[in-house]
Amino acid sequence: MSDIERDVMTYDVIVVGAGPAGLATAMRLKQNAPDKEVCVLEKASEVGAQNLAGAVIETGPLDTLVPNWREDPPDICVDVTGDEFWMLKKDGATRMPTPPQQNNHGNVVVSLANMMAWLAPKAEELGVEIYPGFSAAEALFDDNGAVKGVRTPDMGIARDGTLKGTYEPGIEIHAPITIFAEGCRGHCTKQLVKRFELDTDCDPQTYAIGLKELWKVPPERSQPGLVQHTIGWPLENDIYGGSFIYHLTEDRIALGFVVGLDYADPRFEPFEAFQQWKHHPKIRALIEDGEIISAGARALVEGGWQSLPKLEMPGALIVGDAGGTLNVPKIKGIHTAMASGILAADHLCEAGAVDGFDAALRASEVGSELKKVRNIRPGFLRGKWAGLANAAWETVTAGHSPWTLHNHADWRATEKLAAVENQPTPAQANDWQTSRDLAPRDRLASVYFAQTEHDENQPVHLQILEPDICVSRCTQEYGNPCTRFCPANVYEMVDNDAGEKELHINAANCVHCKTCDIKDPYQIINWVTPEGGSGPNYTNL
Amino acid sequence: MKILVSVKRAIDYNVRIQVAPDGSGVVKNGVKHSMNPFDEIAVEQAIRWKEDGTATEVVAVAIGDDAVAEQLRTAVAFGCDRAIHVKTDDEVQPLTAARVFKALAERESPDMFLMGKQAIDDDANQTGQMTAAKLNWPQATFASKIELADGKAEVTREIDTGLETLSVDLPAVVTVDLRLNEPRYLKLPNIMKAKKKPIEALAFDELDVAAATPIKTVTTKAPPKRAGGIMVETVDELVAKLKEKSLI
């Protein structure tokens, strides 16, 4: 489709993604140089609508960007009043000492979706132009191979590829500098890392899937500001994961469950683990007779220091979780994402070019914070207890171990069915309950609470590069794990008219979590941007 | 030909509506809003007429708080020449809207006032009819096709029994239905330009209209939860159950 004539707009800087990293970059750019024209593209229909996090945040970068923000805080913003860390068994819970990284004194609990919607007008006041509903479909390159901007997706193409009456070609936006702030497993970032070989000197990136629900609970159950985390059941020892329970005002509680995507058993279902956890007596007592308000899922980066790719390339920078600045032991990435954006803007202001940003970030507080905790997450590769012991060592020595533990690609960790079929399934091994009664009943019911929307008549945005593998090799070797790791029931194996199994992709259900792109054992699922504005519409997640 | 087209900011059709805990209405804070889809169809129609030379000027009008400017900008991005924002922080009921629209029509003297047949928030389906009555203009509602000729509009209406065609003298109020057209995707450059266009702001008293909410909402409640169904094994059992509940 290279012969399409496209409109071209020009800016001084393009920022891809209006999440914490992108907005921080754009705001700081305007603060440093008010006459620079800064354009922010956001694939969600509104700023915040596809941001999902816990989220307890450190407010440092926000204090830098908006010094008086506490005078007009976001709707959801609760000072942390206490931290609790629990080890769960199927029928009981033991309070454990809170790991020092998880001491949240001075932090606030927010909803990231709500906070981004609140921050966007502040960015606009500074003169940042934000365009929700327009994603970056691909990066564009000049004759020397440098990034020269991005292209927005074509709209009005039918599922079969023909042009509809409403067809509207995407436009090109050019700028001397493009900042990719797409968040975890960014679609353009993924291409750029490959094209510029940005990951040759680092370990593979690793990921987790986070599932979250917001509940309205009966009066007096929520203790605003209480931050609780659990490990253990329904994942005993073999799978890295845990939960968060953040108590909000107005009888609301945010619940979430995070599972490392380096789990081995292809029969494992992250969504089901989350639902099982909600039925633990301790959790159930909080939410029973309450009402689920919203739900969603998003992959997050876990690779940290040793998986951080090079963050600069000709004409472009990568900031936030598109690169992977999340601090796993702290379970926080918003402050580092924002700080990396501020650093990028300051670097561009001082150096006038992208060169040197990667080194500047590594030498910054963000870099040292990640380096200090680099060995904690990989220590859990040998199970929960070894991981906790290693975490204690790394904490006591403040990350001064002379070694750096390595990360391995999550999809490679998946075992074949043949290797696990004689072992109990994760459900059996962890003694999961056979019946559940708390909402949502299943993944389809959950998608309803994500308010996700895609025009059904558009090309499927989950491209299967080699469809034959799905029905032949994958069915035999792994039992089609996509039908289990996807939290939105996008992938289904169905019988076709000839009585054969066929992969059916319910692309309209997709909540843009990117788990399939990450965990698929053959790496043949390619997540591309659907029509702008498609996808989940999260409220207060 | 000059066209006025009304635009309402409504909770987006994708949003799962929640009743406010205090019963004062539905939760609107932090909820996605967009242009009422039927108004979008009206705007699209007006712009198509502008593009084919039938219309010379298209003016978008809206009533509401500051946030409404967002939907007016969307209308400008579609191609409307101007936008008028009648400001109020109060709830706007159909009769109040009709009074405002009458005042705007008298001020702007359009040949047609195009509106969505109803807004997807209150589903009142009254504003167009009331505006026509207030102006003493002809009205044609639920339009699925509109043809213009010789100072008249031939409007095909979707009614319960099928299609009905009316011929109305202009100026008239025409409200549009779903099948009239499929609105376009907005071009990013047009959205960019619309951001920089001024929106004319007016107060109720500048139009000599009293801000009133004649209908008072006493309380808003979610429908009672339905009890779960039961499975029956046989037809006999089904019949017995129905009899038990005196349903047959």
Side-chain angles (χ1 to χ4, degrees):
Chain A
M1 295 223 215
S2 55
D3 52 345
I4 297 171
E5 194 151 315
R6 297 181 186 278
D7 286 339
V8 178
M9 305 284 291
T10 307
Y11 280 83
D12 292 315
V13 181
I14 303 164
V15 178
V16 181
L23 282 188
T25 313
M27 290 175 82
R28 187 64 163 190
L29 280 166
K30 284 302 255 188
Q31 287 172 341
N32 288 343
D35 28 337
K36 290 267 185 214
E37 302 235 336
V38 180
C39 161
V40 181
L41 299 180
E42 168 55 47
K43 72 179 167 72
S45 61
E46 287 204 316
V47 176
Q50 293 178 2
N51 286 114
L52 179 148
V56 179
I57 64 164
E58 292 185 9
T59 61
L62 193 55
D63 298 334
T64 306
L65 283 177
V66 191
N68 61 348
W69 71 271
R70 281 178 200 268
E71 289 165 21
D72 164 36
D75 279 349
I76 297 180
C77 183
V78 191
D79 289 322
V80 174
T81 52
D83 282 297
E84 291 181 4
F85 189 61
W86 294 84
M87 171 70 78
L88 301 188
K89 290 270 169 201
K90 188 178 180 190
D91 298 311
T94 312
R95 177 94 184 257
M96 312 250 292
T98 300
Q101 294 89 351
Q102 291 178 25
N103 177 350
N104 284 307
H105 184 75
N107 296 336
V108 291
V109 188
V110 298
S111 141
L112 189 60
N114 172 265
M115 181 175 138
M116 289 300 110
W118 163 88
L119 194 58
K122 297 185 191 305
E124 285 176 326
E125 273 169 35
L126 292 169
V128 174
E129 293 180 34
I130 308 174
Y131 296 102
F134 291 90
S135 51
E138 62 177 359
L140 303 170
F141 305 95
D142 66 16
D143 295 340
N144 300 320
V147 176
K148 69 167 183 185
V150 294
R151 176 178 70 76
T152 63
D154 298 330
M155 307 286 279
I157 299 179
R159 196 177 172 102
D160 62 8
T162 56
L163 304 185
K164 295 194 271 187
T166 51
Y167 171 69
E168 190 62 55
I171 69 161
E172 293 193 357
I173 309 177
H174 295 176
I177 293 175
T178 306
I179 315 268
F180 290 89
E182 299 177 282
C184 171
R185 195 76 167 190
H187 150 74
C188 292
T189 308
K190 178 178 151 184
Q191 313 298 333
L192 294 168
V193 166
K194 203 168 166 189
R195 182 183 177 107
F196 290 100
E197 299 178 345
L198 302 175
D199 59 351
T200 41
D201 298 326
C202 65
D203 286 348
Q205 186 56 270
T206 63
Y207 302 87
I209 177 175
L211 305 116
K212 183 180 174 186
E213 292 175 3
L214 180 66
W215 279 68
K216 184 159 180 70
V217 297
E220 287 165 31
R221 289 205 198 148
S222 175
Q223 304 167 50
L226 177 62
V227 166
Q228 296 172 301
H229 291 105
T230 76
I231 57 170
W233 195 85
L235 306 178
E236 305 236 40
N237 209 16
D238 51 348
I239 296 170
Y240 179 80
S243 79
F244 61 83
I245 307 156
Y246 300 155
H247 296 241
L248 306 172
T249 52
E250 296 173 29
D251 300 314
R252 290 174 295 185
I253 297 183
L255 306 165
F257 202 79
V258 176
V259 179
L261 286 177
D262 57 349
Y263 67 82
D265 194 324
R267 300 170 298 179
F268 178 62
E269 296 172 73
F271 175 86
E272 187 56 31
F274 177 34
Q275 300 305 328
Q276 288 287 330
W277 168 80
K278 279 164 56 190
H279 287 73
H280 185 279
K282 187 168 171 65
I283 317 306
R284 187 185 181 101
L286 281 175
I287 59 175
E288 195 167 22
D289 303 321
E291 185 192 355
I292 177 171
I293 299 173
S294 48
R298 183 72 172 94
L300 49 137
V301 279
E302 288 204 329
W305 176 255
Q306 52 273 55
S307 293
L308 206 58
K310 195 174 171 196
L311 300 169
E312 64 187 60
M313 70 209 88
L317 296 179
I318 300 170
V319 294
D321 275 350
T325 51
L326 185 134
N327 181 328
V328 178
K330 269 193 187 171
I331 345 178
K332 286 182 190 60
I334 295 167
H335 69 292
T336 44
M338 292 180 79
S340 74
I342 292 172
L343 265 166
D346 287 350
H347 176 81
L348 290 174
C349 180
E350 284 156 24
V354 295
D355 308 76
F357 170 66
D358 185 71
L361 183 115
R362 283 169 211 270
S364 73
E365 275 180 42
V366 175
S368 55
E369 180 178 332
L370 294 180
K371 189 170 183 190
K372 191 173 160 186
V373 299
R374 71 192 180 284
N375 284 334
I376 295 185
R377 171 65 181 92
F380 283 87
L381 279 176
R382 274 181 246 120
K384 183 175 64 188
W385 296 110
L388 286 172
N390 173 66
W393 161 260
E394 290 290 333
T395 302
V396 170
T397 58
H400 287 299
S401 304
W403 58 83
T404 294
L405 301 178
H406 284 288
N407 288 326
H408 307 280
D410 296 314
W411 58 274
R412 288 188 197 277
T414 313
E415 298 267 17
K416 292 194 173 154
L417 277 180
V420 296
E421 63 192 359
N422 295 326
Q423 299 167 15
T425 65
Q428 292 160 341
N430 290 290
D431 196 12
W432 287 4
Q433 305 176 9
T434 47
S435 72
R436 301 190 271 102
D437 57 345
L438 293 168
R441 182 184 64 250
D442 55 20
R443 290 182 289 178
L444 275 184
S446 175
V447 168
Y448 171 67
F449 292 99
Q451 298 170 144
T452 194
E453 202 243 344
H454 297 79
D455 187 335
E456 301 249 357
N457 190 14
Q458 63 172 308
V460 172
H461 71 279
L462 300 143
Q463 300 174 339
I464 309 293
L465 306 178
E466 293 173 62
D468 291 348
I469 289 185
C470 302
V471 285
S472 56
R473 280 181 62 195
C474 190
T475 303
Q476 279 183 9
E477 292 181 348
Y478 295 99
N480 301 107
C482 58
T483 60
R484 286 180 292 279
F485 56 59
C486 172
N489 209 24
V490 167
Y491 302 93
E492 278 184 301
M493 295 301 289
V494 294
D495 292 316
N496 65 14
D497 295 339
E500 292 158 344
K501 289 281 180 205
E502 184 176 276
L503 180 67
H504 190 91
I505 302 177
N506 307 304
N509 285 0
C510 177
V511 295
H512 297 193
C513 77
K514 316 279 178 78
T515 302
C516 53
D517 193 295
I518 296 164
K519 185 62 174 169
D520 153 44
Y522 302 94
Q523 292 294 283
I524 52 169
I525 301 179
N526 190 34
W527 190 100
V528 301
T529 48
E531 283 186 351
S534 307
N537 289 288
Y538 294 141
T539 309
N540 295 338
L541 283 185
Chain B
M1 181 170 152
K2 178 174 175 179
I3 297 171
L4 278 195
V5 54
S6 68
V7 164
K8 186 174 184 184
R9 177 180 168 87
I11 294 181
D12 189 80
Y13 64 95
N14 256 312
V15 170
R16 214 176 52 81
I17 301 292
Q18 293 170 64
V19 173
D22 63 0
S24 61
V26 299
V27 176
K28 292 180 181 161
N29 230 350
V31 164
K32 186 186 170 196
H33 285 69
S34 51
M35 190 192 297
N36 171 37
F38 292 109
D39 294 346
E40 215 171 38
I41 293 168
V43 172
E44 174 68 32
Q45 189 57 48
I47 298 308
R48 286 187 187 183
W49 280 330
K50 200 187 146 200
E51 285 168 346
D52 70 15
T54 313
T56 47
E57 190 181 20
V58 179
V59 183
V61 299
I63 314 168
D65 61 12
D66 290 343
V68 168
E70 188 189 332
Q71 278 61 48
L72 282 173
R73 293 216 183 276
T74 306
V76 173
F78 264 93
C80 293
D81 298 284
R82 289 191 287 130
I84 302 174
H85 180 181
V86 181
K87 290 197 171 184
T88 176
D89 289 334
D90 295 332
E91 180 197 344
V92 181
Q93 294 176 354
L95 187 57
T96 316
R99 286 176 178 145
V100 170
F101 289 159
K102 172 180 186 265
L104 286 171
E106 285 168 352
R107 198 165 165 271
E108 295 284 335
S109 312
D111 299 288
M112 185 185 285
F113 207 141
L114 264 182
M115 301 184 188
K117 67 167 181 177
Q118 65 197 58
I120 61 165
D121 47 9
D122 57 15
D123 278 332
N125 184 356
Q126 293 168 352
T127 304
Q129 295 88 330
M130 285 179 175
T131 306
K134 287 271 170 201
L135 283 164
N136 204 19
W137 285 7
Q139 57 172 297
T141 51
F142 314 134
S144 62
K145 190 177 172 194
I146 311 171
E147 288 189 30
L148 301 169
D150 309 327
K152 288 180 196 296
E154 202 175 88
V155 179
T156 306
R157 311 176 62 224
E158 297 199 356
I159 56 172
D160 290 347
T161 46
L163 297 175
E164 177 187 57
T165 306
L166 292 182
S167 177
V168 291
D169 291 327
L170 298 178
V173 174
V174 178
T175 76
V176 308
D177 214 325
L178 190 67
R179 273 164 283 271
L180 181 64
N181 61 47
E182 188 182 344
R184 67 195 61 200
Y185 293 104
L186 292 178
K187 289 184 180 185
L188 187 52
N190 293 351
I191 296 175
M192 290 169 170
K193 284 177 213 149
K195 279 207 174 195
K196 291 173 179 122
K197 281 211 178 171
I199 290 175
E200 184 183 353
L202 287 174
F204 270 55
D205 47 10
E206 284 175 84
L207 294 170
D208 235 353
V209 176
T213 48
I215 303 165
K216 302 283 175 227
T217 303
V218 182
T219 186
T220 305
K221 277 192 222 164
K225 278 209 175 95
R226 278 179 15 175
I230 51 161
M231 294 295 286
V232 290
E233 299 287 332
T234 62
V235 173
D236 289 345
E237 200 186 334
L238 174 65
V239 172
K241 284 279 177 202
L242 290 171
K243 277 189 177 153
E244 196 182 292
K245 294 189 180 290
S246 316
L247 292 169
I248 49 171

